[in-house]
Amino acid sequence: MAGERMPTLFISHGSPMLAIEDCAARRFLQGLGARLPRPQAIVVFSAHHDDVGTSVTGAEHPETIHDFGGFPRELYRLRYAAEGNAPLAQRIAARLAAAALPAEVDARRGLDHGAWIPLLLMYPSADVPVLQVSIDSAQGPSHHFALGRALRPLRDEGVLVIGSGGATHNLRAYFHAPERGYEAPPPEWVEAFDEWAAAAVETRRFDDLLHYAERAPYALQNHPTPEHFLPLFTTLGAALDDEPGRRIHASYDRGLLSLDAYAFGTLADAGTGPVVLH
């Protein structure tokens, strides 16, 4: 497999309603694919593929998993028919094993909504093979950084590595604020964490990020559980040592879920600052 070096991305995938409901983050994702070099394959670390140990999806035709409940029927009719890539899955498992990160290939699992909803917007033709690598929320940020670091060479083969989670993710607060819309301003405790994280990415303060639970303002309030923040560390690990990071999108859902996105590499080097669409 050969191709142009790909950037590596962290995307906040937000609510499943992102697939059908107009908002700034949806419009951003709809335009993002065209701003990237054409990938040969896509590897997603999703907050919703959380497993003990590490597994790599190896299905030839991964199913679309509707791993959510209580949403409009329209969402459950959506399908993302991207192919898998079993040989690449085996190579990924081998790379991880060589880095002392044992991994198994799962030939049955499909794509969860943390993968297929952003990709449905970025690549609606579903014409790029997609694989997922699981996270393990029982492990800390350093483990996930190592996962990304082990797969960093794949970027030179045209593989797009994406961490898909949430820059902030307090669902209790979110569901207790139904009257707030996409344009609602964030409270101080959300904005302070969000801006701290963005600044740490852009100045490559990776050690601070790896210790975010102790160093970031309002860390526990924004991430009562870590699974939606852990995919960020796979993106950091996949970044090259001299690559600057950029926040390429900034918006909120109800002012409580940050929908920020970050990039390292070709897109980030364009020097275009945050993209905020309204």
Side-chain angles (χ1 to χ4, degrees):
M1 183 181 294
E4 185 176 355
R5 175 182 289 169
M6 297 299 298
T8 181
L9 308 175
F10 173 76
I11 292 170
S12 297
H13 59 248
S15 160
M17 292 297 291
L18 200 67
I20 61 174
E21 192 170 65
D22 181 53
C23 66
R26 185 178 197 273
R27 296 192 296 271
F28 159 72
L29 288 170
Q30 286 176 316
L32 181 56
R35 298 175 62 197
L36 303 173
R38 178 71 178 173
Q40 301 294 313
I42 301 170
V43 175
V44 182
F45 292 86
S46 166
H48 297 281
H49 189 182
D50 188 356
D51 205 353
V52 176
T54 304
S55 62
V56 185
T57 60
E60 292 184 5
H61 304 286
E63 66 173 325
T64 302
I65 304 174
H66 297 85
D67 51 340
F68 44 77
F71 288 90
R73 190 170 299 175
E74 180 182 358
L75 272 176
Y76 301 94
R77 290 195 289 262
L78 294 176
R79 296 290 184 274
Y80 192 69
E83 295 183 354
N85 186 325
L88 178 57
Q90 293 289 346
R91 290 204 300 116
I92 288 172
R95 280 190 175 276
L96 293 173
L101 298 163
E104 297 182 352
V105 175
D106 184 345
R108 295 175 295 178
R109 193 182 192 279
L111 304 176
D112 64 64
H113 79 271
W116 68 261
I117 287 182
L119 295 180
L120 178 70
L121 300 173
M122 292 171 63
Y123 299 104
S125 297
D127 53 358
V128 180
V130 180
L131 297 82
Q132 288 192 237
V133 180
S134 66
I135 68 163
D136 183 352
S137 59
Q139 303 288 336
S142 294
H143 169 79
H144 295 85
F145 186 90
L147 291 174
R149 183 56 51 94
L151 300 190
R152 185 167 68 174
L154 295 179
R155 294 177 52 201
D156 287 325
E157 301 178 21
V159 176
L160 176 60
V161 178
I162 298 177
S164 177
T168 70
H169 194 259
N170 186 323
L171 289 185
R172 180 181 293 274
Y174 179 81
F175 287 122
H176 280 79
E179 74 285 355
R180 297 167 63 90
Y182 285 105
E183 304 303 323
E188 193 273 338
W189 62 271
V190 174
E191 185 175 26
F193 179 90
D194 204 29
E195 293 303 315
W196 181 92
V201 168
E202 293 183 343
T203 57
R204 295 187 61 95
R205 294 189 351 251
F206 288 3
D207 189 63
D208 281 344
L209 287 162
L210 288 165
H211 296 89
Y212 79 94
E214 299 85 29
R215 299 180 186 178
Y218 305 106
L220 185 59
Q221 291 94 321
N222 283 280
H223 290 284
T225 56
E227 76 288 334
H228 274 74
F229 207 50
L230 291 175
L232 171 63
F233 298 100
T234 65
T235 300
L236 301 180
L240 303 183
D241 292 342
D242 59 351
E243 280 182 318
R246 295 286 186 272
R247 178 162 56 175
I248 57 172
H249 178 76
S251 68
Y252 291 94
D253 183 352
R254 302 185 186 178
L256 295 165
L257 294 187
S258 170
L259 301 177
D260 281 8
Y262 306 121
F264 290 85
T266 303
L267 176 66
D269 289 344
T272 59
V275 175
V276 185
L277 302 177
H278 295 288

